[in-house]
Amino acid sequence: MRKAIFVGIVTLATTFGSYAQDLEQVKKTIDAEKFSEARKSLKNLVSTAPDKGRNYFYLGQVYLALEKQDSAKIYFEKGKGVKDAGHLNYIGLAHVDLIYGNKTSAQNNIAMAMQNAKKKDTEEQIFIARAYLNQENPEYSKAIEAGKKGIASDPKSALAYLALGDAYFADKNTNDAYAAYRNAYDLDNTLLRAKLQLAMITRNARAYNESIKAINEVITMDPNYGPAHRELAETYFAWGYNETAKYQENTAKALEEYRKYMSLTDTSVDSRMRYADFLIITKDWKALEAEATMIQKMDKVNPRIYRYLGYAYIETGRPDAAIQAFNEFFAKADKRKIKGRDYLYLAKAKLASAMDANGVITNKTKFDESVVDLQKAAELDTKLSVEFSEIGVKLYKQKAYFEAAKLLDLAIKNPASKSFALDNYYYGNCILFGSIDKTPEQKATLTVEFEKANAAYAEVIKASPKTQDAYLNKGKLNRVHGTDASKLLAVADYEGYVKVVTEKGEAELSKEAVKKNLLDAYQFIGSSYAATDKVKAIAAFEEAKKLDPTNKYVSESLEVLKK
């Protein structure tokens, strides 16, 4: 969210301010993403010109860019009563409301702002657009509507087109976003943000060479334009992430460009934390630990430091230190700023602490705590399902079946996951293999697990009807369950297996493993129909006899059925 917020701040000061001389320099500082410097300058302006509402408003916007909503709100509250452009601060308050999900209050604050707006309300509409855009659940249509109103108010406003472009871009409407950015740049060819955003559209299409070329054109126009180096860093990383062969080379280039970005912006705590965030993305854990340690020397109270240390410690093999760091983070952080990934990494640390050197779970309490943390992670971010899947599959391969099932159960809560079908298959297998040796009394306590495993196999079959092992293992599961109802399900499952492998033809039927499974399936089907449908029972045993003519059980069953 941070990036999109400060995009909207660019050059507005000189466009709308009656005291442009002071804000002109602040504008350049903000556009260069030197937020600490901008904050100091704006605090000075608030002190020396307390009657100017835009001073408070832009200071609040800088705090929003730094994700310090409470500090932003303080200045918006102070600025809303100022006579000169104080009404803008109501839009700032609306933005804070939207971030915290207070939509009714946001609407009221926007209404208050518009009551005092002039007929030409381009500036207001631009920031209204950004408020709708830069929140946890963006309201794209409202952002687009506000952007269009800003253009209607001033058709020559490059900034209004920039805001509209950002709204379209966030809504994945690249054609209209491109047109809006192009219009913005045509209206003001000093607006490097617009040209940079055009390169971002190219990057999103994975045309990385073209995107890098376009970003370098911006750098040629202004070699000291820090944001271009940041975008270049992110482009190199995206290229490496999506093309494994280029990962090492391009990640190194990405880090080099990000360090250049840092040198062109500032080395404040806020800037260093942005760098730390990028180190997490690039998974440079040793560098993250070093950076977090440096930040800690500069700011001993910021809870984000403990997040960085926790991430670094678990990835460098120190789970107990990671647990301690995360405990500090959770105790001190604003609960609204805790992410699903924070709980995920705490869970990873506890899970690692719960295992011995061979990966065997030796501390059940720590393991159970890790599952609780993973559940919290899933509640906050369903996209983390791939992480739950990886941990679950690792436990599955170590034959910790019921433990793995708890993790995979979280993974399959996200049907949009790319591994959804496979995760369901592993979940079903966990219950099957974990319950085979259980006593009848123990199986009786697993009714819910058997039902969920059946449903999991059904999802696999739904996604891939030709996956024969899903039918086979579902049949085995229902035999292991052993109730009258589950045995009936097993018959249908085995019949499904027979149908699928038969349709695949001789190449499949000739495989020894398939022959063995078919023999087992036909014997179960035959024995299940023996008391209710002799014709089907005989047919099944006849097929079994073809596979194993010397099988005593099959021969004796046929003899009895044909009397």
Side-chain angles (χ1 to χ4, degrees):
M1 175 177 15
R2 184 189 301 129
K3 188 192 302 182
I5 291 173
F6 59 67
V7 167
I9 302 173
V10 183
T11 73
L12 279 169
T14 55
T15 304
F16 297 103
S18 59
Y19 46 102
Q21 187 61 44
D22 290 334
L23 278 181
E24 171 66 15
Q25 185 56 47
V26 175
K27 175 266 296 185
K28 291 179 180 178
T29 306
I30 293 172
D31 187 37
E33 299 179 16
K34 297 179 181 180
F35 296 119
S36 293
E37 185 179 331
R39 181 169 51 187
K40 290 177 184 177
S41 297
L42 284 163
K43 281 186 176 181
N44 184 58
L45 285 176
V46 164
S47 176
T48 57
D51 58 333
K52 304 295 184 182
R54 286 190 178 84
N55 290 337
Y56 301 91
F57 179 66
Y58 282 101
L59 180 54
Q61 291 295 316
V62 169
Y63 277 118
L64 287 181
L66 295 171
E67 297 184 4
K68 296 181 178 181
Q69 291 89 347
D70 291 342
S71 296
K73 185 175 181 178
I74 289 171
Y75 284 97
F76 291 142
E77 287 285 359
K78 289 180 178 179
K80 70 181 183 181
V82 175
K83 186 176 181 180
D84 185 358
H87 70 287
L88 289 173
N89 290 280
Y90 282 104
I91 298 174
L93 290 170
H95 195 160
V96 175
D97 286 333
L98 289 170
I99 290 170
Y100 290 146
N102 302 323
K103 291 191 176 185
T104 301
S105 179
Q107 290 299 324
N108 291 337
N109 277 318
I110 288 173
M112 287 291 293
M114 298 312 291
Q115 282 180 12
N116 295 287
K118 296 178 181 178
K119 186 176 181 180
K120 193 172 183 178
D121 59 1
T122 308
E123 181 180 21
E124 289 83 356
Q125 296 298 344
I126 288 170
F127 280 102
I128 290 170
R130 302 212 174 278
Y132 281 123
L133 190 60
N134 301 312
Q135 53 173 307
E136 191 68 26
N137 298 299
E139 297 177 67
Y140 302 116
S141 61
K142 290 185 177 179
I144 291 168
E145 180 185 0
K148 287 180 176 179
K149 285 181 178 178
I151 292 169
S153 176
D154 182 1
K156 293 185 178 181
S157 170
L159 294 170
Y161 277 105
L162 181 65
L164 181 61
D166 289 339
Y168 279 133
F169 187 50
D171 197 28
K172 296 181 172 59
N173 182 345
T174 55
N175 289 335
D176 286 338
Y178 189 92
Y181 289 140
R182 174 54 63 189
N183 285 335
Y185 189 68
D186 287 344
L187 286 165
D188 180 1
N189 61 15
T190 68
L191 188 57
L192 296 184
R193 285 283 176 184
K195 188 172 178 62
L196 197 57
Q197 287 303 107
L198 289 169
M200 297 310 94
I201 291 177
T202 307
R203 181 177 74 193
N204 278 17
R206 298 192 178 183
Y208 299 115
N209 262 323
E210 291 82 353
S211 180
I212 288 169
K213 181 181 177 182
I215 296 170
N216 280 324
E217 287 177 4
V218 175
I219 293 173
T220 299
M221 295 170 71
D222 184 352
N224 296 318
Y225 190 57
H229 291 279
R230 175 179 48 74
E231 294 293 7
L232 192 55
E234 295 183 8
T235 303
Y236 274 122
F237 176 72
W239 192 358
Y241 182 83
N242 286 294
E243 293 186 27
T244 308
K246 291 184 174 293
Y247 183 80
Q248 294 295 336
E249 175 190 354
N250 282 1
T251 298
K253 289 180 179 179
L255 290 169
E256 180 184 352
E257 287 298 331
Y258 209 99
R259 285 190 287 269
K260 189 174 294 184
Y261 161 71
M262 290 277 289
S263 71
L264 292 169
T265 54
D266 58 47
T267 54
S268 66
V269 169
D270 293 321
S271 184
R272 284 184 173 274
M273 287 195 292
R274 292 199 299 277
Y275 181 49
D277 289 334
F278 190 70
L279 290 172
I280 291 173
I281 294 172
T282 57
K283 300 184 179 180
D284 191 338
W285 306 114
K286 289 184 178 179
L288 176 64
E289 182 182 346
E291 193 65 31
T293 302
M294 184 63 69
I295 296 170
Q296 195 171 37
K297 292 178 181 178
M298 299 170 67
D299 184 350
K300 296 182 182 298
V301 300
N302 196 308
R304 278 171 63 181
I305 298 164
Y306 295 105
R307 169 191 278 159
Y308 299 141
L309 289 172
Y311 282 30
Y313 288 150
I314 184 59
E315 293 291 352
T316 54
R318 287 177 284 172
D320 291 334
I323 292 170
Q324 184 177 350
F326 278 118
N327 286 339
E328 290 278 359
F329 173 70
F330 286 119
K332 297 176 179 179
D334 182 340
K335 299 299 182 285
R336 294 169 298 192
K337 294 183 179 180
I338 294 174
K339 302 175 182 178
R341 190 164 292 275
D342 299 327
Y343 282 109
L344 170 67
Y345 268 78
L346 176 59
K348 283 184 174 182
K350 289 180 178 177
L351 187 59
S353 184
M355 293 179 174
D356 64 15
N358 297 316
V360 177
I361 294 172
T362 56
N363 188 327
K364 189 175 183 302
T365 300
K366 276 276 175 63
F367 174 79
D368 290 341
E369 288 178 5
S370 74
V371 172
V372 171
D373 291 326
L374 286 170
Q375 289 170 339
K376 292 176 181 176
E379 290 169 5
L380 289 172
D381 188 354
T382 58
K383 296 186 185 71
L384 294 174
S385 58
V386 64
E387 302 273 4
F388 309 143
S389 172
E390 289 175 1
I391 301 170
V393 171
K394 182 178 179 181
L395 290 171
Y396 170 83
K397 291 179 178 178
Q398 293 166 347
K399 299 185 178 181
Y401 295 121
F402 283 113
E403 290 82 359
K406 291 181 180 180
L407 281 298
L408 290 163
D409 187 35
L410 294 173
I412 61 179
K413 292 184 186 302
N414 180 15
S417 167
K418 291 181 180 179
S419 61
F420 180 67
L422 188 58
D423 291 338
N424 273 284
Y425 182 70
Y426 278 125
Y427 179 85
N429 285 356
C430 283
I431 305 305
L432 167 61
F433 300 144
S435 60
I436 283 176
D437 296 328
K438 300 297 183 186
T439 66
E441 292 76 19
Q442 289 171 323
K443 289 177 186 177
T445 67
L446 297 172
T447 301
V448 173
E449 285 79 4
F450 282 123
E451 289 177 355
K452 290 171 76 171
N454 261 296
Y457 282 131
E459 287 290 348
V460 180
I461 292 167
K462 178 182 176 182
S464 180
K466 300 300 182 183
T467 302
Q468 62 212 49
D469 285 352
Y471 296 93
L472 179 67
N473 287 3
K474 190 170 183 290
K476 290 179 179 179
L477 174 81
N478 283 311
R479 285 176 70 179
V480 168
H481 191 185
T483 66
D484 291 340
S486 71
K487 289 176 183 177
L488 287 175
L489 290 174
V491 173
D493 297 330
Y494 279 122
E495 288 174 335
Y497 176 77
V498 170
K499 182 175 183 292
V500 169
V501 295
T502 302
E503 288 175 349
K504 289 184 178 181
E506 188 57 34
E508 191 67 31
L509 292 169
S510 63
K511 294 176 181 177
E512 290 302 317
V514 173
K515 289 179 181 178
K516 183 177 179 295
N517 291 330
L518 279 172
L519 177 61
D520 188 43
Y522 282 128
Q523 287 183 93
F524 183 79
I525 293 169
S527 63
S528 298
Y529 280 128
T532 59
D533 192 330
K534 284 189 176 183
V535 174
K536 287 185 178 181
I538 290 170
F541 279 123
E542 290 285 7
E543 292 296 330
K545 189 170 184 178
K546 292 177 185 177
L547 293 164
D548 186 1
T550 63
N551 188 297
K552 186 178 178 182
Y553 172 71
V554 172
S555 298
E556 289 178 350
S557 296
L558 280 170
E559 186 178 338
V560 171
L561 286 165
K562 289 181 178 180
K563 284 183 179 179

